[in-house]
Amino acid sequence: MRKRYFLLVLALPACGTAQTPARPPEVAQAQVTALPTGDIHDFDWAPGSWTLANRRLKARNVGSHEWEEFLSYNRTTQYLGGMVNVDQMDMPSKGFSGLTLRVFNPEKRQWSIYWINSKVGRMDPPQVGGFTGNRGEFYGEDVDNGLPVKVRYIWTKTGPDTAHWEQAFSYDGGRTWETNWMNDLTRTGR
């Protein structure tokens, strides 16, 4: 029980909430066990260099349909026999970079995906989940412009050298989702 409580407290401050859990840890744990599970080999395809064709919504949570498009470049490396992988995404036209840390928990059979933006310099709360076949789903909570949001990442392996990723936010507790960033990845070298 202590381990679950610690993980819940660790995630709450990053979401902009109080230090004390708003609900008993048992409720939070029930939600965690409902998340998709996966395998340590879910991201075995990812190491290497990639070019990403990005589409990002210009304004979130206002019904916008205007997208900006830009290229970014990514290099992914695996560690600890595939249990951890790290990638750095450089976005020259945007003036910042990002780092993704993915960690596999073999007991829960789930990945935790953390994002660090070079403009902010802090690790965002994790998205947790795994792959079923070529589709991975990962869920978490964060804050967007002062509003609490549920966050969803969807990864789709579309071939040995191609993949698709998208991020969506829900401002209503997960009833509706607004996709706000997606990219198509193409391997640039093995």
Side-chain angles (χ1 to χ4, degrees):
M1 186 61 140
R2 176 180 285 175
K3 183 176 180 183
R4 286 185 214 140
Y5 182 75
F6 173 75
L7 290 174
L8 180 64
V9 170
L10 182 64
L12 285 174
C15 296
T17 58
Q19 294 279 348
T20 306
R23 55 186 179 258
E26 294 78 19
V27 174
Q29 181 62 24
Q31 292 174 347
V32 169
T33 58
L35 292 171
T37 58
D39 184 78
I40 193 170
H41 300 292
D42 284 346
F43 286 99
D44 280 357
W45 56 272
S49 298
W50 301 83
T51 298
L52 290 74
N54 293 273
R55 292 186 72 215
R56 189 169 64 177
L57 203 56
K58 288 186 176 182
R60 295 184 300 271
N61 195 29
V62 294
S64 175
H65 296 285
E66 283 189 70
W67 295 85
E68 62 178 334
E69 296 185 7
F70 59 95
L71 289 178
S72 61
Y73 307 94
N74 189 348
R75 172 99 179 126
T76 304
T77 306
Q78 281 186 322
Y79 298 95
L80 302 177
M83 182 177 281
V84 174
N85 67 62
V86 177
D87 68 51
Q88 180 170 325
M89 184 167 111
D90 296 312
M91 297 166 271
S93 67
K94 297 296 164 196
F96 71 97
S97 298
L99 184 112
T100 304
L101 170 66
R102 299 179 192 93
V103 181
F104 184 71
N105 180 325
E107 183 181 323
K108 293 183 179 182
R109 295 183 38 242
Q110 292 176 323
W111 288 90
S112 292
I113 302 176
Y114 301 88
W115 170 254
I116 304 167
N117 180 325
S118 67
K119 284 185 175 179
V120 179
R122 73 164 189 272
M123 188 177 294
D124 285 348
Q127 311 314 306
V128 178
F131 275 80
T132 300
N134 288 329
R135 180 183 166 92
E137 291 187 32
F138 306 86
Y139 296 89
E141 296 181 11
D142 206 341
V143 175
D144 181 46
N145 293 321
L147 296 173
V149 293
K150 292 200 178 288
V151 181
R152 178 185 70 199
Y153 293 169
I154 295 178
W155 274 101
T156 308
K157 296 184 276 186
T158 56
D161 296 320
T162 57
H164 177 82
W165 171 86
E166 60 186 60
Q167 170 184 274
F169 289 173
S170 175
Y171 299 88
D172 61 8
R175 290 185 296 277
T176 61
W177 294 92
E178 176 185 66
T179 300
N180 59 56
W181 194 346
M182 62 183 94
N183 54 49
D184 290 305
L185 295 82
T186 304
R187 190 182 304 278
T188 57
R190 284 204 173 263

